[in-house]
Every structure is written in structure tokens, then in C-alpha cells.
Amino acid sequence: MKKTKLIVFDIDGTLIDSVSAYHEVVISAMKEMGITTIDTNFNDLKHHTDSYAFKVNYEKNFDTSFSFELLDKFEKLLVKYLQQHPDTVAIEGANAMLEALEHSEYAFAFATGSLPESALWKMNKAGLVIDEQLLATSKTSLSREGFVKEAIEKAKKYFDVHEFEQIISIGDGLWDLKTAQNLKLEFLGIGEKNKAVMSQHGMKRHIVDWEGITVAWLMDIQQS
């Protein structure tokens, strides 16, 4: 089936339940990188991504400029500490939704503030196998806008589509909503944790999880 539309999924809190444990993983990895004083209020940073949180704390601690080359070691440490928190699970119904999209007119890609190795580890642990060719992360862009645009371009290449007639961004946080608004993408919120604040900032469509959600429902709600 020809893919004419695209869904760009956030990962943490959208497809997998990993946010609380992952916060501690990021802090542990920073400590092993020698960062002794850590600003853990990641939600208030300009960019809600692993690479930007690492950059801000690294530069404050060492009083020197951040380099993207540092992310290779940081990424491996994230996986190391993830292995000590093996409780990552899929959001209810996520696997069924991804399988259903395979047989629909929707292409899909993944845009995450994580780094590639940690994102893939979490997805595999949750039983959600994805093609790395459709994954865009904060290893190539500090901003969410940057890697969401990268995910769109990867999907175009992967599915051989010049332009998608519709692009829907799906995420669980205010940062996902703002990114969609900045890029003029349609948005669907998921999860209860940030529902109120997303609604206050313009979210119009929302689901609790993927349980019972069908591709037909997605098509109907986006047309309403």
C-alpha cells in the first residue's frame, strides 16, 4: 500500500514507559563522566533532550565548550545504566498500533531526545522492534525541531515519498507539542501526566494509551 501520510512518534512516554527510571540513568551517566554538580530539572531546559542536558551540565561543570564527540562515551554509559533498570515496558497497545500501521496508508518514523543506542535498547527491552533507518535522535541535533525534521526526511527516503500529504506528531510532553506547533504539524497527545499543561497550550486531541486505538480512529480524529 502506498504511504501517503506520516506519523512521527516520540518514544519515551509515548511508546514505552521509561521516563522515571531513565531520569536516574541520565544522572548516573553524567556522574561517571565526571560531572559532580548536576542541574536535574531537565524539563526547564531550552531543549528537552539527552544531548542538551548533557551539554548544559558538562559546560557548567568543566567551564569549557561541549563537543559532540563526547556523546559516544555518554551514550555507552546510558546503556550501561539502563541495564541496571530492566523495567522498561511498552505503553498499552503500542505494539498492536505499530503492526497495524504496517498495513495502512500511514508511514511512520521515530524522533526522540534520547541517543540511538539507548533508544534502541529501551525499545527492544519493551518488545518493540524498529528499523534504525527510521530513527532520529538528539545525537545529530540538540533541538527537538532538528531531529523531528530529520525523522521526516528519513521517512521520505525509506518509504520513497516525495512529500507526505499529512504529518501527525505524537508525544506525551509539552516539548513535543511545542515542537509540532513550531513545525506546523498536526499533534496528538498521549498519557495523563502532562495532559493538563498540554491542553493549556493548545492540545486539541488526546489519548490515554494505545489500547483500543485503531488506524481508522486515527484517521477519523485527524479529520474532525
Side-chain angles (χ1 to χ4, degrees):
M1 181 180 293
K2 180 68 174 178
K3 303 291 187 180
T4 59
K5 303 175 182 180
L6 173 66
I7 292 177
V8 179
F9 290 99
D10 171 49
I11 290 180
D12 295 283
T14 299
L15 294 172
I16 57 175
D17 185 2
S18 60
V19 175
S20 58
Y22 193 58
H23 190 84
E24 295 304 316
V25 165
V26 172
I27 292 171
S28 296
M30 286 188 189
K31 287 180 178 178
E32 190 160 337
M33 292 289 289
I35 301 173
T36 55
T37 302
I38 301 174
D39 179 356
T40 60
N41 198 4
F42 300 149
N43 288 353
D44 287 344
L45 294 177
K46 179 181 179 182
H47 302 299
H48 192 271
T49 69
D50 288 1
S51 59
Y52 191 73
F54 178 50
K55 174 184 185 297
V56 168
N57 282 285
Y58 181 89
E59 291 181 341
K60 283 183 178 179
N61 189 87
F62 295 110
D63 193 26
T64 187
S65 297
F66 164 83
S67 168
F68 271 88
E69 284 76 15
L70 293 166
L71 290 176
D72 289 338
K73 181 178 180 181
F74 184 57
E75 182 176 24
K76 295 188 183 306
L77 289 174
L78 290 174
V79 174
K80 170 187 171 181
Y81 286 104
L82 274 169
Q83 292 169 350
Q84 299 174 21
H85 294 271
D87 53 352
T88 298
V89 296
I91 300 293
E92 288 292 329
N95 194 46
M97 173 52 65
L98 292 178
E99 289 181 356
L101 289 174
E102 293 274 6
H103 309 288
S104 78
E105 62 188 288
Y106 281 101
F108 51 89
F110 309 90
T112 176
S114 295
L115 298 175
E117 289 186 25
S118 57
L120 291 169
W121 191 95
K122 288 182 286 186
M123 290 289 278
N124 288 334
K125 187 66 180 178
L128 303 177
V129 179
I130 65 172
D131 193 322
E132 191 172 354
Q133 296 178 80
L134 291 170
L135 176 66
T137 75
S138 68
K139 194 165 187 178
T140 54
S141 176
L142 294 172
S143 74
R144 302 193 77 86
E145 286 82 0
F147 55 74
V148 168
K149 288 192 289 187
E150 181 185 353
I152 293 170
E153 292 305 312
K154 284 190 170 189
K156 287 179 182 178
K157 180 178 180 181
Y158 186 93
F159 293 102
D160 191 24
V161 176
H162 178 64
E163 292 291 343
F164 290 103
E165 62 185 44
Q166 179 188 39
I167 301 177
I168 304 168
S169 176
I170 302 180
D172 70 307
L174 181 58
W175 44 89
D176 298 306
L177 172 62
K178 287 184 174 179
T179 298
Q181 291 170 336
N182 290 342
L183 297 178
K184 295 180 171 52
L185 305 177
E186 295 184 38
F187 182 77
L188 175 65
I190 185 171
E192 296 284 18
K193 183 178 180 181
N194 299 308
K195 180 181 179 181
V197 69
M198 288 193 290
S199 295
Q200 291 167 8
H201 285 81
M203 179 184 70
K204 298 178 180 178
R205 304 176 179 94
H206 176 270
I207 57 176
V208 175
D209 55 33
W210 294 106
E211 193 67 30
I213 304 299
T214 64
V215 175
W217 182 90
L218 281 177
M219 295 175 69
D220 286 345
I221 198 170
Q222 295 308 319
Q223 293 168 1
S224 63

